[in-house]
Amino acid sequence: ENFGNYWNYIRGFASDPTWTTNFASYVFSAPMLTDHNYINAFKLDPLVACKIGLPARNIDAPLYAFREADPFPVGPIGLTWNSMLRSKYAQQIPGTSIYCFDAVILHPYYIARDNYQVDISMLFDDGYTCPVFDYTSLDTRLEPAFTGILGKTSPMALFGNFRDLIRYRFIESYNFQNIALNFGLTTAIKKDLWTTEWNILADAKDLEGEENEFDRNQIYHNSYASGMVIFEWWLKNLKLNFTNPYRENFFTYATFHNYHGTENVNNLIVDADCADFEQYGIDPDDYSGTDRLFLRRTNYYAMLLLSEVIKSRLSYLQANIYQGVANPNNQPTVFIDENQEYLYIYFSNLKDGEQHYIINSDNLISLFIDPILGTPIGIGLGNATIYCLDAEQAYSTSGKSTIYDLNTCYSCGGETEVLHPFEIRAENPMAIREFENIPNCLTEPKPGETCVTVPGYSLGYFKIPISVFYPPEKNNMDLVGETKLHVYPNPTSGNLNISLKTNNFYFNEILKVSIINVAGQLLSQQVINNSRSIQVDNLSSGTYYLKVLDQNGLTHFASFIKN
């Protein structure tokens, strides 16, 4: 607990000679031992604007998910490094009003050694021989390990399973850290949180009578199971910013470790092996010596799906979510785009069969209250488009994995060469499928609801178009001027004429016309130029909504009746 020495050192003061000899001299060069006022160097330089984060200690108490990477003995909860770090929040650079640091840094490792190692060592046989793993039906040799780590109750959920990590162990660890680090502060001395390294470690401890502990702990890497937990962990990091008692948007940086590496670890990209070269028709001799070929793996595809949150500037929506107690899945995460035209719902389906979602739009109405148009009378949800990584089994991989190393059937070269498969990428080189939703819910959605059905062992998001309906007397009004949408004849039996009128002049160019039914489902969409009419003879008798986008980017609504 040498925080005092560390604090003195980074502010340029003399530290305990024993600490300097044992620690600082091991890390820093001789000049850095005499010139080490890092706080002033970064904070007072007029040419740069730096933020400073100071390291906090990982949890040293038993049973928490995020523990120290090294097997330190369990310590008491008292005047630890973190509580001393907290005591410095109000410290300012002498003679200024500048606070010495801006954030605290955690390294939340999820370690096999403290979580699932003992269980996986007992359940997973390390003496596998042929045949190869079968993706068309569950391989009974892998079933206990992978259903267990996903938290499924059959045959048994492992302690430290990935579902429980996301459901409650994640927040338990942060609540423990919050006791000392106070992430709920809103005063001037508040500090942000940075996690400069978060990942799953396959660290092994010696178990009597067990062999290959390290390899056996790595069987989850590059599988659907590991992609799922990384995917959900990223979402939990984001949602922590909107969880009581934490300050909103306190968690500002989270760096996944690692982007690439040479072992079968949880990286986004990993070195190629013999099957990779064979898969892509590459001569291995072209990559000899210092040349290396990296290929994207399962975690890369999970991160690619998550990147849509940033690229489309999505906003998190807190939602009421109900699911059965026996459902192994984590609750989905809901976003809306900045133009409020689409819902994005992120999900992971741990089941080997379909998962059905019914989305209700009632609580969205408050987002669309308009000073002129008033309160919507309803929100319609169209049919979803699904973007997902879709695997056959929880142990499906995008290539290289330890499970292939432990199965002696797989080998490179020779007459008996058997190369591992790339099951996750079987249909699509990018692994991510895009397809229109085919709803298959057991109950019929009500008006304002939509049903979405996702495949088994999948993760990703579905995108749902939103339609907003205002009171009939205001449907034809805009935020600008007195533009009104006219449709005639109304009722109609087949042809519908459309006009936009502003101050008695018909000059608004119509760009896109959408027809929506009373349940909010988008039935058709077409772009029109000079034409001022559309055919609706294919519609059944009833009432419909017309949504028109003009060249100014304004949206107009009208209703019509089809005879």
Side-chain angles (χ1 to χ4, degrees):
E1 300 295 350
N2 290 294
F3 180 83
N5 289 305
Y6 166 76
W7 177 252
N8 286 336
Y9 180 82
I10 62 175
R11 298 177 67 217
F13 301 133
S15 299
D16 179 83
T18 302
W19 180 84
T20 303
T21 301
N22 292 340
F23 295 97
S25 60
Y26 175 75
V27 176
F28 302 120
S29 63
M32 296 170 71
L33 293 175
T34 57
D35 182 12
H36 46 81
N37 191 342
Y38 303 116
I39 300 292
N40 283 20
F42 284 107
K43 284 292 189 179
L44 299 183
D45 189 332
L47 300 180
V48 297
C50 288
K51 287 189 174 183
I52 294 177
L54 300 187
R57 182 173 175 177
N58 283 342
I59 296 173
D60 57 0
L63 299 182
Y64 286 89
F66 300 144
R67 294 285 306 280
E68 285 286 355
D70 296 319
F72 293 136
V74 173
I77 303 174
L79 192 62
T80 62
W81 179 286
N82 288 358
S83 59
M84 290 187 283
L85 172 62
R86 166 63 182 87
S87 71
K88 305 299 182 183
Y89 279 16
Q91 289 286 314
Q92 296 176 325
I93 296 175
T96 76
S97 59
I98 300 172
Y99 291 102
C100 291
F101 62 103
D102 308 278
V104 297
I105 301 171
L106 287 171
H107 283 58
Y109 299 108
Y110 189 64
I111 308 171
R113 183 187 62 245
D114 293 326
N115 291 284
Y116 56 83
Q117 181 192 346
V118 175
D119 292 312
I120 187 59
S121 297
M122 292 187 297
L123 291 174
F124 185 74
D125 183 359
D126 65 345
Y128 281 11
T129 57
C130 296
V132 299
F133 297 124
D134 181 10
Y135 288 107
T136 60
S137 60
L138 187 63
D139 193 304
T140 57
R141 296 170 293 178
L142 294 173
E143 179 178 11
F146 277 86
T147 56
I149 200 62
L150 289 179
K152 301 169 98 172
T153 55
S154 176
M156 62 180 293
L158 301 181
F159 170 76
N161 69 73
F162 293 162
R163 180 202 61 184
D164 288 349
L165 168 63
I166 301 303
R167 280 193 174 182
Y168 64 87
R169 299 189 71 209
F170 173 95
I171 193 64
E172 284 179 349
S173 290
Y174 276 104
N175 285 346
F176 181 94
Q177 294 283 27
N178 192 44
I179 295 171
L181 298 175
N182 297 122
F183 294 125
L185 288 174
T186 58
T187 60
I189 67 170
K190 64 183 183 293
K191 305 301 175 194
D192 288 344
L193 170 64
W194 303 342
T195 54
T196 52
E197 181 174 335
W198 62 275
N199 62 9
I200 296 177
L201 291 183
D203 277 10
K205 59 185 175 184
D206 293 333
L207 296 174
E208 186 176 353
E210 295 289 338
E211 298 180 358
N212 298 327
E213 292 95 347
F214 183 68
D215 286 342
R216 291 164 72 184
N217 285 327
Q218 288 198 114
I219 67 166
Y220 302 123
H221 294 336
N222 193 26
S223 68
Y224 166 79
S226 69
M228 181 280 298
V229 74
I230 295 302
F231 180 84
E232 292 286 357
W233 191 342
W234 190 96
L235 292 168
K236 291 293 284 189
N237 284 341
L238 183 148
K239 290 186 286 187
L240 193 62
N241 283 297
F242 306 96
T243 302
N244 286 327
Y246 300 92
R247 184 180 82 252
E248 187 170 320
N249 295 324
F250 80 100
F251 195 168
T252 50
Y253 296 100
T255 304
F256 178 73
H257 184 264
N258 242 344
Y259 180 70
H260 72 83
T262 58
E263 300 295 333
N264 299 337
V265 292
N266 251 5
N267 301 319
L268 303 190
I269 64 174
V270 179
D271 279 286
D273 63 5
C274 61
D276 293 315
F277 286 108
E278 182 76 17
Q279 168 82 1
Y280 290 99
I282 299 172
D283 184 353
D285 293 336
D286 293 339
Y287 288 87
S288 58
T290 58
D291 293 329
R292 298 165 69 184
L293 176 64
F294 292 100
L295 292 181
R296 291 168 290 198
R297 306 298 182 178
T298 305
N299 288 342
Y300 177 93
Y301 301 129
M303 288 294 188
L304 186 61
L305 287 160
L306 291 164
S307 70
E308 188 66 23
V309 175
I310 308 302
K311 290 186 292 187
S312 293
R313 301 174 60 87
L314 305 183
S315 296
Y316 170 57
L317 281 183
Q318 292 179 310
N320 298 320
I321 298 171
Y322 306 93
Q323 67 181 40
V325 294
N327 191 325
N329 289 328
N330 293 295
Q331 293 185 335
T333 304
V334 183
F335 296 90
I336 192 169
D337 71 304
E338 60 182 342
N339 295 321
Q340 298 186 333
E341 295 177 333
Y342 294 94
L343 287 180
Y344 290 73
I345 300 181
Y346 277 74
F347 70 92
S348 58
N349 181 18
L350 284 60
K351 301 188 295 185
D352 56 2
E354 293 179 336
Q355 173 67 55
H356 312 292
Y357 298 96
I358 291 182
I359 296 89
N360 183 291
S361 63
D362 288 348
N363 289 336
L364 293 175
I365 287 178
S366 62
L367 297 178
F368 295 93
I369 297 175
D370 186 89
I372 296 177
L373 301 180
T375 300
I377 58 174
I379 303 291
L381 300 177
N383 193 39
T385 303
I386 300 171
Y387 305 80
C388 71
L389 184 155
D390 183 9
E392 289 289 341
Q393 301 294 343
Y395 50 86
S396 294
T397 77
S398 43
K400 185 176 180 180
S401 174
T402 307
I403 63 172
Y404 300 124
D405 296 336
L406 293 174
N407 185 330
T408 57
C409 182
Y410 296 102
S411 63
C412 293
E415 296 181 359
T416 60
E417 179 178 70
V418 179
L419 299 176
H420 63 65
F422 296 77
E423 196 279 317
I424 284 177
R425 294 189 291 183
E427 296 182 20
N428 182 345
M430 285 298 292
I432 295 173
R433 292 180 57 204
E434 175 185 347
F435 56 96
E436 289 299 310
N437 170 50
I438 302 177
N440 191 31
C441 290
L442 299 178
T443 58
E444 188 70 20
K446 301 174 184 177
E449 295 181 340
T450 191
C451 163
V452 180
T453 299
V454 301
Y457 291 130
S458 62
L459 62 87
Y461 65 91
F462 45 90
K463 180 179 175 181
I464 305 174
I466 302 171
S467 299
V468 185
F469 306 109
Y470 291 98
E473 67 273 13
K474 296 185 178 181
N475 272 345
N476 295 332
M477 295 181 61
D478 264 295
L479 298 183
V480 180
E482 290 294 330
T483 302
K484 292 187 177 182
L485 173 62
H486 297 270
V487 294
Y488 57 93
N490 190 9
T492 181
S493 58
N495 187 65
L496 189 67
N497 297 306
I498 306 170
S499 68
L500 283 174
K501 182 179 180 182
T502 302
N503 297 328
N504 296 319
F505 292 97
Y506 296 89
F507 61 80
N508 287 58
E509 186 69 26
I510 300 171
L511 297 182
K512 186 165 61 176
V513 176
S514 304
I515 297 177
I516 303 161
N517 66 16
V518 293
Q521 297 172 316
L522 178 65
L523 302 181
S524 68
Q525 192 172 78
Q526 58 183 294
V527 175
I528 63 174
N529 294 316
N530 297 324
S531 174
R532 296 285 184 176
S533 65
I534 60 173
Q535 293 296 319
V536 295
D537 53 329
N538 61 324
L539 297 177
S540 303
S541 298
T543 300
Y544 297 89
Y545 293 98
L546 202 68
K547 178 180 177 181
V548 171
L549 178 71
D550 70 20
Q551 88 278 12
N552 296 316
L554 299 175
T555 300
H556 314 265
F557 294 93
S559 60
F560 68 93
I561 297 173
K562 168 63 169 53
N563 286 333

